[in-house]
Amino acid sequence: QGCAQKYIVKNYFYYYLFKFSAALGEEIFYITFLPFIYWNIDHSVSRRMIIIWSIVMYIGQVSKDILKWPRPLSPPVVKLEMRTDAEYGMPSTHAMAATAISFSFLIATTNQYKYPFELGLVAAFVFSTLVCLSRLYTGMHTVLDVIGGALISAVLLVLLYPAWDTIDHLLLTSPFCPLLSIVVPLVLCYNYPKLDYYSPTRGDTTTILGAGAGATVGFWLNNQYATPAYTSENFQLGFPLITSKMLVVVLARFFVGIFIVLLTRRLMKSVVLGMLGYRYKFPISDLEARRRLEVEVPYKFITYSSVGFSATVLVPLLHGLLGLM
């Protein structure tokens, strides 16, 4: 258990398809796709997706460490990933995230833009199915883990949908939003279920809640001091036919934005780890020290809340300065 296994790839199409599909439920996808929606398609759609994603992922991560269902035994299963092997299996948070992101995007856009609903439904189903199947192919989850994750996410979407507009309005207009957006996630991170051994679930949960907190504060600031979210002036690219000029602008926004986001992550990670290392007397390279509660939570929360804030406030300002709006 936990040791790398040797295997022979006999079907490279399935191998790369499902390795790629598995990446659609990981940080590299979240940090690119969710900001892309905010920068290039619709602010309100992005807000709803980020809030739903944060709630769904927190519930999924906590459920794992409460239920403590083991992942598939290896052998006989061959595991193609090792980082998440220390986590429990039920529910699959990949399945939860894929279901939440794809179907919240569908629900949030279907009433705002004219496109065939059937096409959007098929796209959401294919996206979530590929991610779910990738967890079986890579040996990280059982069928029950995947089905359970998808069903939990679907139930949460149904329960949260009636309150979408109310939650969105409160997060944009309430004077208590910035304080609550920081305090509540921090309390949840510091009171995360304790395990007998180290698991990356607490760190991953802190990353998600931190990014959501930073983005939420950014949404509130933009609504208060920039373009109000409930005016027709709010920038929306939408789904019209994209001209070559528009495509260049979209790509320029994306690459400028991703550069700033990744730069923010790198700088904040170095600064915060350096400060915590000085405070608690450990070298930055000490992995065991970085896993301690008093280090991991502030390090990841501050780093990724800065990323969320940068994506929603700093990047749009830079887009405006560069004439990309």
Side-chain angles (χ1 to χ4, degrees), residues 18-90:
F18 291 125
K19 289 285 281 185
F20 172 77
S21 299
L24 298 178
E26 297 174 358
E27 180 186 347
I28 187 63
F29 175 73
Y30 305 143
I31 210 170
T32 53
F33 180 73
L34 294 175
F36 178 88
I37 301 298
Y38 188 77
W39 300 330
N40 289 304
I41 295 182
D42 189 295
H43 290 179
S44 66
V45 171
S46 178
R47 289 196 305 270
R48 285 162 170 76
M49 291 178 68
I50 289 173
I51 297 304
I52 293 296
W53 168 70
S54 300
I55 295 173
V56 165
M57 289 299 288
Y58 174 75
I59 292 175
Q61 295 284 77
V62 169
S63 297
K64 281 186 177 184
D65 290 339
I66 292 177
L67 294 174
K68 297 182 179 180
W69 287 20
R71 290 186 182 269
L73 291 176
S74 175
V77 168
V78 176
K79 295 184 177 179
L80 305 187
E81 298 176 14
M82 297 311 301
R83 177 188 173 274
T84 58
D85 193 36
E87 298 179 7
Y88 288 108
M90 177 68 171

Side-chain angles (χ1 to χ4, degrees), residues 186 189-190 198 202-204 206-207 268-304:
L186 267 177
C189 292
Y190 275 107
Y198 178 79
R202 185 184 65 201
D204 291 344
T206 305
T207 294
M268 292 306 298
K269 180 178 179 179
S270 300
V271 170
V272 176
L273 270 180
M275 293 175 64
L276 290 170
Y278 177 79
R279 168 67 177 82
Y280 294 107
K281 311 301 181 186
F282 68 87
I284 294 179
S285 58
D286 188 345
L287 184 60
E288 288 301 317
R290 287 164 56 175
R291 290 175 170 179
R292 285 154 43 188
L293 174 68
E294 66 271 21
V295 175
E296 184 176 59
V297 170
Y299 144 54
K300 294 209 167 183
F301 191 88
I302 295 173
T303 298
Y304 284 91

Side-chain angles (χ1 to χ4, degrees), residues 48-49 75 99 117 138 143 157 196 207 268 289 305:
R48 285 162 170 76
M49 291 178 68
T99 303
F117 176 78
T138 55
V143 173
L157 275 173
D196 296 332
T207 294
M268 292 306 298
S305 60

Side-chain angles (χ1 to χ4, degrees), residues 145-212:
D145 294 343
V146 170
I147 293 176
L151 287 178
I152 293 172
S153 191
V155 169
L156 289 172
L157 275 173
V158 171
L159 293 177
L160 292 170
Y161 175 70
W164 271 19
D165 292 338
T166 302
I167 294 172
D168 188 50
H169 179 73
L170 288 175
L171 291 178
L172 290 173
T173 59
S174 172
F176 303 106
C177 173
L179 178 63
L180 292 176
S181 296
I182 298 297
V183 172
V184 172
L186 267 177
V187 170
L188 293 176
C189 292
Y190 275 107
N191 290 277
Y192 192 83
K194 293 179 174 59
L195 298 176
D196 296 332
Y197 64 94
Y198 178 79
S199 168
T201 48
R202 185 184 65 201
D204 291 344
T205 304
T206 305
T207 294
I208 292 164
L209 294 184

